[in-house]
Amino acid sequence: MLDWVKTNLTAELFIKIGTVIGAVLLMFILYKVIRSLMKKTVCKKVKPQIAMLIEKGLKYTFVVLITLYILDLFGIKLSALLGAAGIAGIAVGFAAQTSVSNIISGFFMLSEQTFKIGDFITIDGVSGTVDSIDLLSVKLHTPDNQIVRIPNESVIQSKLVNASYNPNRRFCLSVGLPYDCDLEAVEQLLIKIAAETEYVLAEPAPVVLYDSFADSSVNVQVAAWCKKEDFLAMKGKLFKNVHRELAAANIIIPFPQLDVHFDPETPLAKKESSGLLGKASSI
């Protein structure tokens, strides 16, 4: 044990360790300074997702440089490592196909600029706010605060809906109207309710769209526009206002009802007419 200590724990080793610590600290300070300067200059002029990729690229570059410096300081030949990597590269290459595909898909996404950090999007049935756009995946947090990671390749291949792409959004509230109401009068009332609802924009103006003749109602949609950040607030207020004002105007929103008529010749109808069902129910 003492022989090993005398052989290996030499002054030269401690000098190398001290040099490594000093170099790492110096590189770390340099990284922080460059990162701060880039945030104040370059990152302010580009989109958030581009700025995030620049920061990560800078970080990975410094990690590689520090690693190469430490290996060289301790006399580890990079040629040997590269040779070993070449032998293993064939096997790793097959496994890395998906990662390469995701990286390429990530560049396509950035070039298309279909969405950005902070947008509310829906991808293949998953909805959430974009937290990050990385080289391999997109990360969303859902309305119930779960994190969802979607590979870039899946984003490219799937249908994507961006609710935040345009500054304004439209909400369509479905309403069932009774068949015996004055549709023209109710239409004007619904437009008035929507126009007076908080967050609803005057332009484009609210409209009533006729949808269908249902079994128990005439179905219409009250379409109103708002700023994208006010969507949920406007939706809730429009629901409440329509319900309250229709009730105040004695317009009852119909619901499905079913009338059952018995054929007089059926056994059940004969029992009812003879009073047998009534007697049975009173027992």
Side-chain angles (χ1 to χ4, degrees), residues 134-148:
D134 300 325
L135 288 177
L136 297 178
S137 65
V138 174
K139 294 183 179 64
L140 315 175
H141 73 265
T142 60
D144 57 350
N145 211 30
Q146 298 185 51
I147 194 75
V148 180

Side-chain angles (χ1 to χ4, degrees), residues 80-147:
L81 292 177
L82 293 174
I87 296 173
I90 299 175
V92 174
F94 290 102
Q97 287 181 1
T98 302
S99 297
V100 173
S101 176
N102 284 324
I103 292 173
I104 295 174
S105 299
F107 285 111
F108 278 118
M109 284 193 312
L110 292 175
S111 63
E112 286 184 342
Q113 299 183 358
T114 310
F115 61 93
K116 62 183 183 299
I117 294 173
D119 283 356
F120 187 86
I121 64 175
T122 300
I123 301 174
D124 199 21
V126 179
S127 300
T129 302
V130 180
D131 285 337
S132 67
I133 303 174
D134 300 325
L135 288 177
L136 297 178
S137 65
V138 174
K139 294 183 179 64
L140 315 175
H141 73 265
T142 60
D144 57 350
N145 211 30
Q146 298 185 51
I147 194 75

Side-chain angles (χ1 to χ4, degrees), residues 31 53-65:
Y31 163 72
L53 288 177
I54 291 174
E55 287 186 33
K56 290 187 176 181
L58 180 65
K59 178 182 176 181
Y60 296 148
T61 300
F62 272 91
V63 170
V64 171
L65 290 176

Side-chain angles (χ1 to χ4, degrees), residues 30-77:
L30 183 61
Y31 163 72
K32 288 290 186 181
V33 172
I34 295 176
R35 181 186 176 191
S36 178
L37 290 174
M38 292 187 66
K39 281 187 174 182
K40 294 178 180 179
T41 55
V42 179
C43 293
K44 284 187 176 181
K45 298 179 181 179
V46 298
K47 295 182 179 296
Q49 57 267 32
I50 302 295
M52 182 177 291
L53 288 177
I54 291 174
E55 287 186 33
K56 290 187 176 181
L58 180 65
K59 178 182 176 181
Y60 296 148
T61 300
F62 272 91
V63 170
V64 171
L65 290 176
I66 291 173
T67 303
L68 293 177
Y69 174 77
I70 293 174
L71 292 175
D72 182 67
L73 190 65
F74 282 92
I76 299 176
K77 300 297 181 181

Side-chain angles (χ1 to χ4, degrees), residues 184-198 200 206-208 222 238 241-242 245:
E184 291 289 341
V186 176
E187 177 182 343
Q188 294 305 314
L189 175 61
L190 290 173
I191 291 176
K192 180 176 180 293
I193 295 170
E196 295 176 352
T197 298
E198 188 179 0
V200 172
V207 295
V208 172
V222 184
L238 187 60
N241 292 349
V242 168
E245 296 300 327

